[in-house]
Protein backbone atom coordinates (compact mmCIF):
# COMPACT_ATOMS: atom_id res chain seq x y z
CA UNK A 1 0.00 0.00 0.00
CA UNK A 2 1.03 3.59 -0.57
CA UNK A 3 -0.22 6.98 0.61
CA UNK A 4 -0.51 10.10 -1.55
CA UNK A 5 -0.36 13.48 0.19
CA UNK A 6 -0.11 16.72 -1.81
CA UNK A 7 0.92 14.75 -4.93
CA UNK A 8 3.79 12.98 -3.11
CA UNK A 9 3.66 9.17 -2.92
CA UNK A 10 4.72 7.77 0.48
CA UNK A 11 5.14 4.24 1.79
CA UNK A 12 2.31 3.02 3.99
CA UNK A 13 4.31 3.69 7.16
CA UNK A 14 5.23 7.22 5.96
CA UNK A 15 8.94 6.44 6.34
CA UNK A 16 9.76 6.72 2.63
CA UNK A 17 9.05 8.94 -0.36
CA UNK A 18 8.50 6.65 -3.36
CA UNK A 19 7.69 9.18 -6.08
CA UNK A 20 5.09 11.72 -7.19
CA UNK A 21 1.56 11.41 -8.44
CA UNK A 22 2.12 14.08 -11.09
CA UNK A 23 5.33 15.28 -12.76
CA UNK A 24 3.84 18.79 -12.90
CA UNK A 25 4.30 19.30 -9.15
CA UNK A 26 5.72 22.75 -8.37
CA UNK A 27 6.33 22.64 -4.61
CA UNK A 28 7.23 19.51 -2.66
CA UNK A 29 6.71 19.70 1.10
CA UNK A 30 7.93 16.37 2.44
CA UNK A 31 6.21 15.25 5.63
CA UNK A 32 7.98 15.25 9.00
CA UNK A 33 9.20 11.82 9.99
CA UNK A 34 10.24 10.70 6.51
CA UNK A 35 13.60 8.92 6.65
CA UNK A 36 14.28 7.85 3.05
CA UNK A 37 13.72 9.37 -0.39
CA UNK A 38 13.90 6.65 -3.01
CA UNK A 39 15.88 6.91 -6.24
CA UNK A 40 14.39 9.05 -9.05
CA UNK A 41 11.52 10.08 -6.76
CA UNK A 42 11.31 13.56 -8.35
CA UNK A 43 12.97 12.73 -11.67
CA UNK A 44 11.59 14.72 -14.65
CA UNK A 45 9.59 17.11 -12.45
CA UNK A 46 10.48 19.98 -14.79
CA UNK A 47 8.20 22.53 -13.07
CA UNK A 48 9.42 21.85 -9.52
CA UNK A 49 10.83 25.06 -7.98
CA UNK A 50 10.92 24.45 -4.21
CA UNK A 51 11.56 21.39 -2.03
CA UNK A 52 11.16 21.31 1.76
CA UNK A 53 13.20 18.55 3.45
CA UNK A 54 12.55 17.73 7.14
CA UNK A 55 15.47 16.99 9.47
CA UNK A 56 14.21 13.42 9.87
CA UNK A 57 15.63 12.47 6.43
CA UNK A 58 18.48 9.96 6.84
CA UNK A 59 19.07 8.83 3.26
CA UNK A 60 18.47 10.20 -0.24
CA UNK A 61 19.04 7.74 -3.06
CA UNK A 62 20.56 8.46 -6.46
CA UNK A 63 19.21 10.74 -9.24
CA UNK A 64 16.34 11.99 -7.09
CA UNK A 65 16.56 15.46 -8.67
CA UNK A 66 17.45 14.46 -12.25
CA UNK A 67 15.93 16.72 -14.94
CA UNK A 68 14.44 19.10 -12.35
CA UNK A 69 15.65 22.07 -14.38
CA UNK A 70 13.47 24.67 -12.61
CA UNK A 71 14.44 23.75 -9.06
CA UNK A 72 15.67 26.91 -7.34
CA UNK A 73 15.69 26.19 -3.60
CA UNK A 74 15.98 23.20 -1.29
CA UNK A 75 14.73 24.29 2.15
CA UNK A 76 16.43 22.24 4.88
CA UNK A 77 15.21 21.61 8.41
CA UNK A 78 17.50 22.90 11.13
CA UNK A 79 18.36 19.64 12.91
CA UNK A 80 19.86 17.29 10.32
CA UNK A 81 22.19 14.75 11.94
CA UNK A 82 24.03 14.17 8.65
CA UNK A 83 24.11 15.53 5.11
CA UNK A 84 25.88 13.70 2.28
CA UNK A 85 27.04 15.54 -0.83
CA UNK A 86 26.06 12.59 -3.07
CA UNK A 87 22.43 13.07 -2.05
CA UNK A 88 22.35 16.27 -4.09
CA UNK A 89 24.59 15.20 -6.97
CA UNK A 90 21.80 15.49 -9.56
CA UNK A 91 20.68 18.99 -8.52
CA UNK A 92 20.78 21.61 -11.30
CA UNK A 93 23.61 24.14 -10.95
CA UNK A 94 21.36 27.04 -9.95
CA UNK A 95 19.76 25.26 -6.96
CA UNK A 96 20.67 26.72 -3.57
CA UNK A 97 20.12 25.62 0.02
CA UNK A 98 18.04 27.56 2.50
CA UNK A 99 18.41 26.86 6.22
CA UNK A 100 18.52 28.73 9.51
CA UNK A 101 21.89 30.36 10.12
CA UNK A 102 23.99 28.77 12.90
CA UNK A 103 21.61 25.78 13.08
CA UNK A 104 22.92 22.23 13.28
CA UNK A 105 22.21 21.83 9.57
CA UNK A 106 24.04 25.06 8.74
CA UNK A 107 27.14 23.83 10.57
CA UNK A 108 27.03 20.53 8.68
CA UNK A 109 26.91 22.36 5.37
CA UNK A 110 29.89 24.51 6.35
CA UNK A 111 32.02 21.38 6.75
CA UNK A 112 31.55 20.28 3.13
CA UNK A 113 33.07 22.26 0.28
CA UNK A 114 30.54 20.68 -2.10
CA UNK A 115 27.49 21.56 -0.01
CA UNK A 116 28.53 25.02 1.15
CA UNK A 117 28.99 26.17 -2.46
CA UNK A 118 25.19 26.14 -2.70
CA UNK A 119 24.78 28.85 -0.06
CA UNK A 120 25.83 32.31 -1.24
CA UNK A 121 27.00 33.48 2.16
CA UNK A 122 29.17 30.41 2.68
CA UNK A 123 30.61 30.69 -0.83
CA UNK A 124 31.91 34.14 0.07
CA UNK A 125 33.40 32.81 3.32
CA UNK A 126 35.20 30.13 1.34
CA UNK A 127 36.77 32.67 -0.97
CA UNK A 128 37.97 34.84 1.95
CA UNK A 129 39.56 31.97 3.88
CA UNK A 130 41.25 30.24 0.94
CA UNK A 131 44.47 32.24 1.31
CA UNK A 132 44.62 31.44 5.03
CA UNK A 133 44.33 27.73 4.25
CA UNK A 134 47.07 27.97 1.64
CA UNK A 135 49.41 29.54 4.18
CA UNK A 136 48.59 26.85 6.76
CA UNK A 137 49.15 24.09 4.22
CA UNK A 138 52.50 25.49 3.14
CA UNK A 139 53.62 25.59 6.77
CA UNK A 140 52.72 22.00 7.62
CA UNK A 141 54.10 20.82 4.27
CA UNK A 142 57.50 22.19 5.15
CA UNK A 143 57.49 20.72 8.65
CA UNK A 144 56.42 17.27 7.47
CA UNK A 145 58.90 17.24 4.60
CA UNK A 146 61.83 17.92 6.91
CA UNK A 147 60.58 15.44 9.54
CA UNK A 148 59.96 12.55 7.14
CA UNK A 149 62.89 12.97 4.77
CA UNK A 150 64.97 10.44 6.71
CA UNK A 151 62.26 7.76 6.38
CA UNK A 152 62.87 6.52 2.86
CA UNK A 153 59.71 5.23 1.20
CA UNK A 154 57.34 7.20 3.44
CA UNK A 155 54.72 9.53 2.02
CA UNK A 156 52.33 12.17 3.31
CA UNK A 157 49.53 14.41 2.07
CA UNK A 158 47.87 17.38 3.73
CA UNK A 159 44.24 16.43 3.19
CA UNK A 160 42.68 19.53 4.76
CA UNK A 161 43.84 22.73 6.42
CA UNK A 162 41.41 23.74 9.17
CA UNK A 163 41.38 26.26 11.95
CA UNK A 164 41.60 23.47 14.52
CA UNK A 165 44.61 22.02 12.72
CA UNK A 166 45.39 20.13 9.51
CA UNK A 167 44.30 16.60 8.63
CA UNK A 168 47.26 14.66 7.31
CA UNK A 169 47.67 11.32 5.53
CA UNK A 170 50.87 9.51 6.50
CA UNK A 171 51.92 6.16 5.08
CA UNK A 172 54.74 3.67 4.87
CA UNK A 173 54.70 0.28 3.14
CA UNK A 174 51.24 -1.25 3.38
CA UNK A 175 50.18 0.91 6.36
CA UNK A 176 48.52 4.30 6.04
CA UNK A 177 46.74 6.47 8.62
CA UNK A 178 44.60 9.60 8.67
CA UNK A 179 45.71 11.92 11.50
CA UNK A 180 44.50 15.28 12.75
CA UNK A 181 47.27 17.59 13.92
CA UNK A 182 46.39 20.23 16.48
CA UNK A 183 47.38 23.86 16.10
CA UNK A 184 50.30 23.21 18.45
CA UNK A 185 52.79 21.64 16.01
CA UNK A 186 55.48 21.37 18.67
CA UNK A 187 53.26 18.90 20.48
CA UNK A 188 52.42 16.88 17.38
CA UNK A 189 55.62 16.75 15.37
CA UNK A 190 57.45 14.44 17.84
CA UNK A 191 54.66 11.89 17.24
CA UNK A 192 55.41 11.67 13.52
CA UNK A 193 58.65 9.65 13.95
CA UNK A 194 56.73 7.42 16.37
CA UNK A 195 54.10 6.79 13.69
CA UNK A 196 56.87 5.85 11.26
CA UNK A 197 58.43 3.54 13.85
CA UNK A 198 55.08 1.76 14.28
CA UNK A 199 54.44 1.55 10.53
CA UNK A 200 57.98 0.36 9.73
CA UNK A 201 57.33 -3.07 11.26
CA UNK A 202 55.51 -4.57 8.26
CA UNK A 203 55.20 -7.96 9.98
CA UNK A 204 52.54 -6.61 12.36
CA UNK A 205 48.87 -7.16 11.71
CA UNK A 206 46.49 -4.27 11.33
CA UNK A 207 44.99 -5.05 14.74
CA UNK A 208 48.44 -4.83 16.35
CA UNK A 209 49.26 -1.53 14.64
CA UNK A 210 45.94 0.02 15.70
CA UNK A 211 46.48 -1.07 19.30
CA UNK A 212 50.04 0.34 19.30
CA UNK A 213 48.78 3.69 17.99
CA UNK A 214 46.26 3.78 20.85
CA UNK A 215 48.91 2.90 23.42
CA UNK A 216 51.00 5.85 22.21
CA UNK A 217 47.95 8.17 22.35
CA UNK A 218 48.07 8.80 18.61
CA UNK A 219 44.54 9.49 17.44
CA UNK A 220 43.33 8.67 13.95
CA UNK A 221 40.93 10.98 12.11
CA UNK A 222 38.23 10.93 9.47
CA UNK A 223 39.22 11.27 5.82
CA UNK A 224 37.43 14.34 4.38
CA UNK A 225 34.82 13.24 1.87
CA UNK A 226 35.98 15.65 -0.82
CA UNK A 227 39.61 14.47 -0.76
CA UNK A 228 41.15 12.00 -3.19
CA UNK A 229 44.19 10.60 -1.33
CA UNK A 230 47.48 9.93 -3.08
CA UNK A 231 48.25 6.60 -1.47
CA UNK A 232 51.53 4.98 -2.47
CA UNK A 233 50.88 1.27 -2.95
CA UNK A 234 53.40 -1.55 -2.98
CA UNK A 235 53.84 -3.89 -5.96
CA UNK A 236 51.05 -6.12 -4.61
CA UNK A 237 48.57 -3.25 -4.54
CA UNK A 238 47.90 -3.76 -0.83
CA UNK A 239 46.69 -1.05 1.54
CA UNK A 240 45.91 -1.26 5.27
CA UNK A 241 44.12 1.94 6.26
CA UNK A 242 43.51 3.42 9.70
CA UNK A 243 40.78 6.08 9.91
CA UNK A 244 37.69 6.87 11.96
CA UNK A 245 34.16 8.11 11.43
CA UNK A 246 32.73 7.83 7.94
CA UNK A 247 34.68 6.74 4.88
CA UNK A 248 33.34 7.98 1.55
CA UNK A 249 35.69 5.85 -0.51
CA UNK A 250 38.44 6.80 -2.97
CA UNK A 251 39.92 5.93 -6.34
CA UNK A 252 43.49 4.63 -6.24
CA UNK A 253 45.10 3.07 -9.28
CA UNK A 254 45.96 -0.64 -9.00
CA UNK A 255 44.41 -1.09 -5.54
CA UNK A 256 43.96 -4.86 -5.15
CA UNK A 257 43.81 -5.63 -1.42
CA UNK A 258 42.20 -3.33 1.14
CA UNK A 259 41.86 -3.60 4.92
CA UNK A 260 40.14 -0.86 6.89
CA UNK A 261 40.35 -0.30 10.65
CA UNK A 262 38.60 2.21 12.88
CA UNK A 263 35.73 3.52 10.76
CA UNK A 264 32.08 3.34 11.85
CA UNK A 265 30.43 3.81 8.47
CA UNK A 266 31.36 2.91 4.91
CA UNK A 267 29.32 5.37 2.91
CA UNK A 268 27.08 4.56 -0.10
CA UNK A 269 28.84 3.90 -3.42
CA UNK A 270 32.21 4.05 -1.64
CA UNK A 271 34.06 1.70 -4.00
CA UNK A 272 31.56 1.18 -6.80
CA UNK A 273 33.05 0.46 -10.24
CA UNK A 274 36.52 -0.20 -8.81
CA UNK A 275 38.08 -2.31 -11.54
CA UNK A 276 41.12 -3.69 -9.67
CA UNK A 277 39.97 -4.40 -6.09
CA UNK A 278 40.24 -8.14 -5.41
CA UNK A 279 39.79 -8.45 -1.65
CA UNK A 280 38.43 -6.29 1.14
CA UNK A 281 38.47 -6.85 4.89
CA UNK A 282 36.31 -4.63 7.10
CA UNK A 283 37.02 -4.87 10.82
CA UNK A 284 35.28 -4.57 14.19
CA UNK A 285 33.73 -1.24 15.07
CA UNK A 286 32.08 -0.88 11.68
CA UNK A 287 28.34 -0.29 12.13
CA UNK A 288 27.10 0.35 8.62
CA UNK A 289 27.89 -0.45 4.99
CA UNK A 290 26.11 1.88 2.57
CA UNK A 291 24.14 0.86 -0.48
CA UNK A 292 26.12 0.06 -3.66
CA UNK A 293 29.36 0.18 -1.65
CA UNK A 294 30.99 -2.49 -3.87
CA UNK A 295 28.59 -2.41 -6.79
CA UNK A 296 30.18 -3.33 -10.15
CA UNK A 297 33.59 -4.35 -8.80
CA UNK A 298 34.39 -7.06 -11.38
CA UNK A 299 37.66 -8.24 -9.77
CA UNK A 300 36.37 -8.58 -6.20
CA UNK A 301 36.81 -12.20 -5.08
CA UNK A 302 36.47 -12.02 -1.29
CA UNK A 303 34.96 -9.74 1.34
CA UNK A 304 35.16 -10.01 5.12
CA UNK A 305 32.23 -8.41 6.95
CA UNK A 306 32.57 -7.93 10.73
CA UNK A 307 30.13 -8.69 13.51
CA UNK A 308 27.92 -5.69 14.28
CA UNK A 309 26.68 -5.14 10.73
CA UNK A 310 22.88 -5.52 10.74
CA UNK A 311 22.06 -4.74 7.11
CA UNK A 312 23.54 -5.69 3.77
CA UNK A 313 22.01 -2.78 1.90
CA UNK A 314 20.59 -2.75 -1.62
CA UNK A 315 23.05 -3.60 -4.41
CA UNK A 316 25.97 -3.67 -1.96
CA UNK A 317 27.71 -6.42 -3.95
CA UNK A 318 25.66 -6.45 -7.15
CA UNK A 319 27.51 -7.11 -10.43
CA UNK A 320 30.63 -8.44 -8.66
CA UNK A 321 31.35 -11.05 -11.32
CA UNK A 322 34.35 -12.67 -9.53
CA UNK A 323 32.84 -13.02 -6.05
CA UNK A 324 32.72 -16.75 -5.24
CA UNK A 325 31.56 -17.05 -1.62
CA UNK A 326 30.73 -14.88 1.37
CA UNK A 327 29.97 -15.40 5.05
CA UNK A 328 27.52 -13.04 6.71
CA UNK A 329 28.03 -12.41 10.45
CA UNK A 330 25.39 -13.46 12.96
CA UNK A 331 24.45 -9.79 13.51
CA UNK A 332 22.94 -9.44 10.01
CA UNK A 333 19.15 -9.12 10.12
CA UNK A 334 18.39 -7.81 6.63
CA UNK A 335 19.64 -8.46 3.10
CA UNK A 336 18.57 -5.65 0.81
CA UNK A 337 17.16 -5.55 -2.68
CA UNK A 338 19.54 -7.05 -5.27
CA UNK A 339 22.33 -7.16 -2.67
CA UNK A 340 24.14 -9.99 -4.52
CA UNK A 341 22.31 -9.67 -7.81
CA UNK A 342 24.28 -10.66 -10.96
CA UNK A 343 27.24 -12.26 -9.18
CA UNK A 344 27.59 -15.19 -11.62
CA UNK A 345 30.55 -16.78 -9.75
CA UNK A 346 28.87 -16.78 -6.32
CA UNK A 347 28.36 -20.43 -5.36
CA UNK A 348 27.81 -20.24 -1.60
CA UNK A 349 26.62 -17.84 1.04
CA UNK A 350 26.11 -18.33 4.77
CA UNK A 351 22.98 -16.63 6.08
CA UNK A 352 22.61 -16.34 9.87
CA UNK A 353 19.54 -17.74 11.60
CA UNK A 354 18.92 -14.22 12.95
CA UNK A 355 17.88 -12.98 9.49
CA UNK A 356 14.52 -11.19 9.52
CA UNK A 357 14.20 -9.74 6.04
CA UNK A 358 15.37 -10.58 2.52
CA UNK A 359 14.29 -8.20 -0.22
CA UNK A 360 13.57 -8.96 -3.86
CA UNK A 361 16.11 -10.52 -6.24
CA UNK A 362 18.81 -10.53 -3.54
CA UNK A 363 20.56 -13.56 -5.10
CA UNK A 364 19.38 -13.44 -8.71
CA UNK A 365 21.81 -14.63 -11.40
CA UNK A 366 24.29 -16.31 -9.07
CA UNK A 367 25.41 -19.97 -8.89
CA UNK A 368 23.73 -20.70 -5.56
CA UNK A 369 21.83 -23.93 -6.15
CA UNK A 370 20.71 -24.45 -2.56
CA UNK A 371 20.78 -22.78 0.86
CA UNK A 372 20.29 -26.08 2.67
CA UNK A 373 17.77 -24.53 5.06
CA UNK A 374 14.59 -22.43 5.12
CA UNK A 375 14.21 -19.02 6.76
CA UNK A 376 10.99 -17.44 8.01
CA UNK A 377 11.39 -13.79 7.05
CA UNK A 378 9.74 -10.65 5.82
CA UNK A 379 10.16 -10.19 2.05
CA UNK A 380 9.92 -6.77 0.38
CA UNK A 381 9.64 -5.83 -3.26
CA UNK A 382 9.09 -2.68 -5.28
CA UNK A 383 6.74 -2.41 -8.21
CA UNK A 384 5.84 0.35 -10.66
CA UNK A 385 2.10 0.78 -11.19
CA UNK A 386 0.53 3.63 -13.15
CA UNK A 387 3.82 5.47 -13.10
CA UNK A 388 4.17 5.18 -9.32
CA UNK A 389 6.75 3.20 -7.44
CA UNK A 390 4.97 1.15 -4.78
CA UNK A 391 6.25 -0.82 -1.82
CA UNK A 392 4.93 -4.27 -1.02
CA UNK A 393 5.77 -6.30 2.03
CA UNK A 394 4.90 -9.90 2.90
CA UNK A 395 5.27 -11.23 6.43
CA UNK A 396 6.31 -14.78 7.34
CA UNK A 397 7.75 -15.78 3.99
CA UNK A 398 9.36 -19.23 4.17
CA UNK A 399 12.37 -18.42 2.03
CA UNK A 400 14.84 -20.89 0.63
CA UNK A 401 16.81 -21.66 -2.52
CA UNK A 402 16.63 -25.13 -4.05
CA UNK A 403 17.32 -26.39 -7.56
CA UNK A 404 18.63 -22.91 -8.39
CA UNK A 405 15.26 -21.25 -7.67
CA UNK A 406 14.14 -18.97 -4.84
CA UNK A 407 10.99 -20.26 -3.15
CA UNK A 408 8.39 -19.12 -0.64
CA UNK A 409 7.09 -22.53 0.33
CA UNK A 410 5.71 -23.97 -2.92
CA UNK A 411 5.79 -20.62 -4.81
CA UNK A 412 8.71 -19.61 -7.03
CA UNK A 413 9.80 -16.06 -6.27
CA UNK A 414 12.55 -15.77 -8.91
CA UNK A 415 15.23 -17.85 -10.67
CA UNK A 416 18.64 -17.76 -8.99
CA UNK A 417 20.70 -19.78 -11.48
CA UNK A 418 19.99 -19.24 -15.17
CA UNK A 419 20.40 -21.68 -18.04
CA UNK A 420 19.04 -22.07 -21.53
CA UNK A 421 17.05 -25.10 -20.41
CA UNK A 422 15.28 -24.88 -17.04
CA UNK A 423 13.09 -27.37 -15.20
CA UNK A 424 10.63 -26.32 -12.50
CA UNK A 425 10.65 -29.11 -9.87
CA UNK A 426 7.63 -31.26 -9.15
CA UNK A 427 5.80 -30.03 -6.05
CA UNK A 428 5.82 -26.39 -7.19
CA UNK A 429 2.26 -25.01 -7.00
CA UNK A 430 2.70 -21.35 -8.01
CA UNK A 431 4.98 -19.28 -10.22
CA UNK A 432 4.91 -15.86 -8.60
CA UNK A 433 4.33 -12.42 -10.05
CA UNK A 434 7.21 -11.21 -12.25
CA UNK A 435 9.18 -14.33 -11.29
CA UNK A 436 10.97 -14.70 -14.65
CA UNK A 437 10.26 -11.21 -16.00
CA UNK A 438 13.07 -9.57 -18.00
CA UNK A 439 15.54 -12.39 -17.30
CA UNK A 440 19.25 -11.71 -17.57
CA UNK A 441 19.67 -14.53 -20.07
CA UNK A 442 17.29 -15.99 -22.61
CA UNK A 443 15.68 -19.22 -21.47
CA UNK A 444 15.09 -21.23 -24.61
CA UNK A 445 13.17 -24.09 -23.01
CA UNK A 446 11.35 -24.30 -19.70
CA UNK A 447 9.64 -27.42 -18.33
CA UNK A 448 6.66 -26.98 -15.99
CA UNK A 449 5.58 -29.65 -13.47
CA UNK A 450 2.24 -31.41 -13.34
CA UNK A 451 1.80 -30.12 -9.75
CA UNK A 452 1.44 -26.52 -10.96
CA UNK A 453 -1.81 -24.83 -9.91
CA UNK A 454 -1.36 -21.12 -10.74
CA UNK A 455 0.81 -18.69 -12.72
CA UNK A 456 0.78 -15.10 -11.49
CA UNK A 457 0.80 -11.85 -13.44
CA UNK A 458 3.83 -11.18 -15.69
CA UNK A 459 5.44 -14.43 -14.53
CA UNK A 460 7.27 -14.85 -17.88
CA UNK A 461 7.06 -11.23 -19.02
CA UNK A 462 9.53 -10.75 -21.89
CA UNK A 463 11.96 -13.36 -20.61
CA UNK A 464 12.66 -14.79 -24.05
CA UNK A 465 11.27 -18.30 -23.49
CA UNK A 466 11.01 -19.99 -26.88
CA UNK A 467 9.54 -23.32 -25.83
CA UNK A 468 7.33 -24.33 -22.91
CA UNK A 469 6.67 -27.92 -21.90
CA UNK A 470 4.09 -29.13 -19.36
CA UNK A 471 4.21 -32.56 -17.68
CA UNK A 472 0.41 -32.97 -17.75
CA UNK A 473 -2.34 -33.18 -20.34
CA UNK A 474 -3.89 -30.29 -22.24
CA UNK A 475 -7.04 -30.57 -20.09
CA UNK A 476 -4.94 -30.33 -16.92
CA UNK A 477 -3.05 -27.34 -18.34
CA UNK A 478 -6.30 -25.49 -19.02
CA UNK A 479 -7.35 -25.94 -15.38
CA UNK A 480 -4.28 -24.02 -14.17
CA UNK A 481 -5.13 -20.48 -13.03
CA UNK A 482 -3.26 -17.92 -15.16
CA UNK A 483 -3.19 -14.18 -14.44
CA UNK A 484 -3.21 -11.47 -17.11
CA UNK A 485 -0.16 -11.12 -19.35
CA UNK A 486 1.51 -14.07 -17.64
CA UNK A 487 3.45 -14.92 -20.82
CA UNK A 488 3.58 -11.53 -22.59
CA UNK A 489 6.64 -11.48 -24.84
CA UNK A 490 7.31 -15.22 -24.42
CA UNK A 491 6.22 -18.50 -26.00
CA UNK A 492 2.54 -18.62 -26.98
CA UNK A 493 2.35 -22.39 -27.23
CA UNK A 494 2.72 -25.03 -24.50
CA UNK A 495 3.60 -28.63 -25.34
CA UNK A 496 1.56 -31.01 -23.20
CA UNK A 497 1.79 -34.80 -23.02
CA UNK A 498 -1.13 -35.20 -25.43
CA UNK A 499 -0.52 -32.25 -27.77
CA UNK A 500 0.14 -28.53 -28.01
CA UNK A 501 -2.03 -25.83 -26.42
CA UNK A 502 -2.18 -22.25 -27.71
CA UNK A 503 -2.02 -19.57 -24.98
Amino acid sequence: MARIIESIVYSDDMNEVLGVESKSIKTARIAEGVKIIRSEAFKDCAELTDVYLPSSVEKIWYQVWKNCGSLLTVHLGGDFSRLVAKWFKSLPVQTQFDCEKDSKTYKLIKRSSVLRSRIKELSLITAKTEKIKQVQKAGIDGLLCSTLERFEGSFYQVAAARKSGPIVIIGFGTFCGIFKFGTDYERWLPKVPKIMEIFSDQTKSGEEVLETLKQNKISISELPGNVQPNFRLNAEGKLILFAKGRLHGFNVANLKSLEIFGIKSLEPCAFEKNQTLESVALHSGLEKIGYMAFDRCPSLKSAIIPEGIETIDWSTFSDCSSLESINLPSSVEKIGRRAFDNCPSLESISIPDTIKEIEEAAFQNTRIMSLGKTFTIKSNDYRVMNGKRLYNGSENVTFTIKDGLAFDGTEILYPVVFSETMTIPEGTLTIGKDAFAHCYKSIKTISLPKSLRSIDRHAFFYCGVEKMEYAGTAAEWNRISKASDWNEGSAKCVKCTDGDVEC
Side-chain angles (χ1 to χ4, degrees), residues 207-278:
E207 289 91 344
E208 291 172 325
V209 170
L210 182 61
E211 183 59 33
T212 307
L213 289 172
K214 291 178 180 178
Q215 290 173 358
N216 286 272
K217 297 182 179 180
I218 299 173
S219 301
I220 54 178
S221 181
E222 183 174 320
L223 179 67
N226 61 336
V227 172
Q228 278 300 317
N230 296 320
F231 296 133
R232 190 180 300 170
L233 304 179
N234 63 10
E236 298 175 348
K238 184 177 182 179
L239 175 66
I240 301 176
L241 178 66
F242 305 92
K244 76 172 187 178
R246 294 175 295 158
L247 183 65
H248 294 272
F250 44 79
N251 293 314
V252 178
N254 301 317
L255 176 63
K256 294 181 180 180
S257 174
L258 176 65
E259 284 192 70
I260 307 173
F261 292 87
I263 65 170
K264 284 191 174 183
S265 173
L266 186 61
E267 293 297 279
C269 308
F271 294 98
E272 67 167 330
K273 299 182 183 178
N274 188 298
Q275 300 298 300
T276 60
L277 188 61
E278 296 178 0

Side-chain angles (χ1 to χ4, degrees), residues 109 202 354:
I109 294 174
Q202 295 286 295
T354 51

